[in-house]
Amino acid sequence: MPKLKTKSSVKKRFKFTATGKVKHKPSGKKHGMVKRGKRFLRNQRPMALLCDADANIIKLFMRKRKKK
């Protein structure tokens, strides 16, 4: 099986924690904040963790990443 290239879009959108979990920025804060509620905007502020099923897909795309 050929080597899997690292997906450039995944490199830009996701980060890894020290324990190997995948962090992402929640969607919905690029534009149109006037029509969104204050609670929604507050909840979208911090980085969030992906569930295990989605994290496995992202780790597959980041295969070139060095293992610790």
Side-chain angles (χ1 to χ4, degrees):
M1 188 171 165
K3 282 186 179 176
L4 188 66
K5 282 190 171 181
T6 299
K7 306 285 190 212
S8 294
S9 60
V10 173
K11 281 192 293 192
K12 297 168 192 172
R13 289 179 173 90
F14 298 98
K15 303 267 187 260
F16 287 94
T17 63
T19 58
K21 294 181 181 177
V22 182
K23 297 191 301 184
H24 72 101
K25 191 78 171 153
S27 62
K29 281 204 67 175
K30 291 294 183 184
H31 58 85
M33 253 63 80
V34 174
K35 56 185 152 185
R36 309 211 195 283
K38 298 294 181 192
R39 187 192 319 166
F40 175 85
L41 295 175
R42 238 187 352 263
N43 290 339
Q44 299 307 91
R45 214 178 282 157
M47 297 284 277
L49 292 176
L50 279 180
C51 67
D52 292 335
D54 293 335
N56 288 336
I57 296 169
I58 298 304
K59 287 176 184 175
L60 178 71
F61 289 153
M62 292 289 286
R63 178 116 345 140
K64 280 189 166 183
R65 186 175 176 273
K66 290 181 182 175
K67 306 271 184 193
K68 289 187 176 182

